[in-house]
Amino acid sequence: MTNEPRFIENPVLRGFHPDPSIVRVGEDYYIATSTFEWFPGVRLHHSRDLRHWNPIGYALDRRSQLDLLGNPRSGGIWAPCLSHAGGVFYLVYTDVKSWGHGFVDAHNYYVTASRIEGPWSEPVALNRGGFDPSLFHDEDGRAWLTNMVWDHRPGNNQFPGIVLQELDLQQRRLVGERRWIFSGSGRRLTEGPHLYRRGGHYYLLVAEGGTSYEHAAVMARSRGIEGPYEVDPSAPLLTSHHDPGLALQKAGHASLVETTTGEWYLAHLCGRPLPGERRCCVLGRETALQRVRWTDDGWLALDAERPATPAVRVPAPRLPDHPFEEAPARDHFDRGALGVAYQALRDVPDESWVSLRERPGHLRIRGRESPQSLHRQSVVGRRIQSLRCRVETCLEFEPASFQQMAGLMALYDDENFFYALLSHDESAGRSIALLGSEHGKVTWLARPVAFSAPRLHLRFDLSGKELQFSSSEDGERFDALGPVLDASLLSDERTSLGMGFTGAFAALCAHDLTGKSLSADFDYLDYAELPQKP
């Protein structure tokens, strides 16, 4: 290890990686992030130096653990909390079945594993009525669950505060009385609690202000775990709200870790908006790290030039560098299972509709329900992690009906997407076209044009706010397919509710509304990030 200063470059997890929960086990560091309606659930990353992070899989990878069919857009897995005690990993999380219209149906569970890679146990039900559960392991061996409570009553504060209840790990159930321990600091929308113990205090770290541009992380402390908790007089600990020019916006929903060298870091979510009045975050909410320190009076503060302000470049801990091998830009689909980059929309990607075995070297996808279905769509996607990238694929597909289509999507959710597709048209026959959907209203962006070559190459190029699809017969010469599109459609801010929680995906898909389950074969998927414009 050299003596030259080294830095963490934020965000450390680019693209859709919100609500980070960080934990250290020995010399290894892990982060769990929310996955919402994408399956498998709860994405896991590993690091040895906090600078380099490697995706290692998902915790909830079986239908018996997680059934997302019918979950609303931006429902599903919210705000996991990853912890470790007694040689066991614990993961608590929420499965949200409804939200956004007054009531919230939030089911809280926990699973365990002896190894981070799994297998993870079947879920144990904890409670309902609120979300963002977090598990704290005290020094005496007792475990405590905190979560926010949702108040649906008209005129009431929907985020009235944080509750605490003991979790008996032997009986695998909550015991004792549930107690209200914190009603917030006054910034409103109190959620995302995490408990820590240091010295003679319990520290409660919460998110406030809502998970958008007023977001913040706030610390409170108490001599007893049940309170009363006093708010840090210098609160907030972290926010971007005071400076709209910061590169990292929406800073909040944080968790803490101490390194083996005694240094402390704060993992938090953030967003990088496109320039302009709308300030849309196409990449979704991402994960960043900030260096923090304990003050003489026992509070936590950012170890930075500007108080409470997130930085892109942060001093790294005194740990040996541990880089990971980067994944190749092209996936030839020549492995026995989908890589860790991929997730499916709501459904389990099993052999009933997606296969790498039926035609080796290809991803075969059987068409099922429509692009607006909340149930059995045949969509396999990966996160878009840079505002300058190129995504390309090649498919073979022989549709006989306009209700059969397959191709390449750039999508946010089932309401907001762009879809370059191969289908059948009564006039053009086998043809290519481009569809767009905004708030569920579908329009032609490029009408069907006859296409006779056996293989279709599709591509889109993202450059900031501009998105351009193109097509090719030979994979060499590409022609524009439709106009230059406004990529901000694929952002949290452009959803029908004006607030979403995921991020843009590049996806391979097939849809067959005839019920015949016609298959499309995809030869490869390229995801290449391009140099940033100066």
Side-chain angles (χ1 to χ4, degrees):
M1 185 170 66
T2 68
N3 292 323
E4 295 180 5
R6 293 170 303 122
F7 296 91
I8 294 169
E9 299 290 340
N10 283 316
V12 292
L13 304 183
R14 296 176 298 114
F16 162 44
H17 292 102
D19 311 324
S21 173
I22 190 168
V23 67
R24 176 176 65 85
V25 180
E27 296 182 350
D28 296 289
Y29 302 83
Y30 303 102
I31 288 179
T33 50
S34 300
T35 44
F36 295 89
E37 68 262 43
W38 290 91
F39 190 98
V42 185
R43 189 161 163 89
L44 302 169
H45 281 79
H46 168 237
S47 177
R48 300 272 291 185
D49 59 9
L50 299 190
R51 300 179 65 224
H52 305 93
W53 291 87
N54 185 46
I56 55 174
Y58 303 87
L60 308 176
D61 59 4
R62 306 187 299 275
R63 192 184 302 276
S64 61
Q65 293 173 312
L66 180 63
D67 185 356
L68 293 173
L69 296 182
N71 276 42
R73 60 194 65 91
S74 287
I77 300 300
W78 286 18
C81 172
L82 181 65
S83 62
H84 186 268
V88 177
F89 287 96
Y90 294 85
L91 182 73
V92 295
Y93 59 92
T94 306
D95 180 4
V96 174
K97 298 300 185 183
S98 68
W99 74 280
H101 300 285
F103 288 93
V104 171
D105 289 290
H107 302 228
N108 295 320
Y109 302 93
Y110 83 92
V111 291
T112 60
S114 58
R115 300 171 64 249
I116 191 72
E117 298 85 359
W120 289 81
S121 70
E122 292 300 301
V124 176
L126 291 169
N127 62 21
R128 301 184 188 180
F131 46 84
D132 294 0
S134 178
L135 188 60
F136 168 66
H137 305 270
D138 209 344
E139 295 170 357
D140 60 3
R142 299 169 76 182
W144 298 87
L145 184 79
T146 56
N147 60 268
M148 67 80 67
V149 171
W150 180 264
D151 190 339
H152 63 269
R153 294 171 293 183
N156 281 19
N157 177 8
Q158 293 179 322
F159 292 73
I162 305 301
V163 293
L164 172 81
Q165 191 171 3
E166 186 174 0
L167 175 62
D168 188 317
L169 298 177
Q170 299 301 315
Q171 299 185 57
R172 302 198 305 168
R173 66 183 183 91
L174 294 168
V175 297
E177 182 182 352
R178 187 183 78 167
R179 299 182 181 276
W180 290 82
I181 62 170
F182 190 62
S183 59
S185 72
R187 301 181 73 92
R188 300 175 59 251
L189 306 177
T190 304
E191 56 185 339
H194 293 297
L195 272 173
Y196 304 91
R197 187 172 183 177
R198 184 176 185 271
H201 286 97
Y202 290 92
Y203 289 87
L204 178 64
L205 180 60
V206 299
E208 292 193 327
T211 186
S212 189
Y213 290 96
E214 296 183 6
H215 208 195
V218 173
M219 185 75 86
R221 71 183 182 189
S222 172
R223 291 289 183 181
I225 194 168
E226 295 179 353
Y229 283 84
E230 61 170 324
V231 177
D232 181 355
S234 300
L237 171 63
L238 175 74
T239 188
S240 309
H241 183 219
H242 57 287
D243 188 347
L246 291 171
L248 304 181
Q249 292 292 317
K250 303 185 178 182
H253 201 116
S255 59
L256 275 171
V257 70
E258 182 182 10
T259 69
T260 55
T261 52
E263 301 164 276
W264 289 80
Y265 284 83
L266 188 78
H268 66 92
L269 74 75
C270 62
R272 293 180 291 166
L274 293 168
E277 293 182 4
R278 276 180 149 166
R279 302 177 75 199
C280 294
C281 294
V282 171
L283 301 181
R285 296 170 304 154
E286 307 172 283
T287 287
L289 291 172
Q290 304 297 327
R291 186 181 175 93
V292 291
R293 59 180 175 81
W294 294 97
T295 63
D296 292 340
D297 54 358
W299 290 106
L300 198 67
L302 256 63
D303 191 5
E305 293 182 3
R306 298 181 62 186
T309 302
V312 171
R313 206 162 189 246
V314 174
R318 299 183 301 273
L319 297 171
D321 267 2
H322 192 91
F324 297 94
E325 182 179 352
E326 291 190 13
R330 173 163 292 191
D331 187 344
H332 291 279
F333 298 127
D334 53 3
R335 293 172 292 181
L338 286 170
V340 70
Y342 299 104
Q343 288 182 277
L345 192 54
R346 292 186 178 86
D347 204 1
V348 180
D350 60 27
E351 288 283 331
S352 69
W353 67 272
V354 60
S355 177
L356 290 163
R357 297 182 177 89
E358 292 185 9
R359 186 180 177 188
H362 293 76
L363 178 66
R364 173 164 290 178
I365 302 179
R366 289 184 177 84
R368 298 185 299 169
E369 296 178 359
S370 81
Q372 295 183 339
S373 172
L374 300 182
H375 294 83
R376 292 177 173 85
Q377 276 205 61
S378 298
V379 175
V380 176
R382 61 147 297 147
R383 288 156 178 75
I384 296 174
Q385 296 179 272
S386 171
L387 287 173
R388 282 184 52 79
C389 66
R390 169 172 289 173
V391 178
E392 182 183 318
T393 191
C394 176
L395 73 149
E396 298 173 44
F397 186 58
E398 296 297 333
S401 165
F402 72 93
Q403 292 180 315
Q404 296 171 324
M405 63 201 91
L408 176 65
M409 298 182 84
L411 80 159
Y412 183 84
D413 60 19
D414 52 89
E415 281 194 330
N416 286 5
F417 59 81
F418 302 114
Y419 187 1
L421 57 89
L422 182 60
S423 186
H424 180 88
D425 180 76
E426 293 88 343
S427 299
R430 184 170 177 268
S431 52
I432 57 174
L434 182 62
L435 284 176
S437 175
E438 181 173 2
H439 298 170
K441 182 179 180 181
V442 180
T443 58
W444 287 116
L445 300 173
R447 290 186 173 274
V449 175
F451 187 85
S452 59
R455 290 161 58 87
L456 169 63
H457 298 260
L458 290 171
R459 170 191 289 178
F460 69 74
D461 290 275
L462 175 64
S463 181
K465 190 179 179 180
E466 297 183 347
L467 182 70
Q468 176 68 68
F469 279 88
S470 55
S471 63
S472 171
E473 293 186 2
D474 58 10
E476 298 293 333
R477 180 178 178 273
F478 281 80
D479 298 313
L481 178 61
V484 175
L485 303 170
D486 180 2
S488 71
L489 178 69
L490 311 176
S491 67
D492 299 343
E493 291 76 14
R494 294 284 299 274
T495 66
S496 57
L497 290 174
M499 178 175 61
F501 302 140
T502 58
F505 272 69
L508 307 179
C509 56
H511 301 88
D512 189 346
L513 312 188
T514 70
K516 295 181 179 179
S517 302
L518 186 65
S519 297
D521 288 344
F522 294 86
D523 187 15
Y524 62 84
L525 179 67
D526 280 353
Y527 174 81
E529 297 186 357
L530 307 176
Q532 298 296 312
K533 289 184 177 179

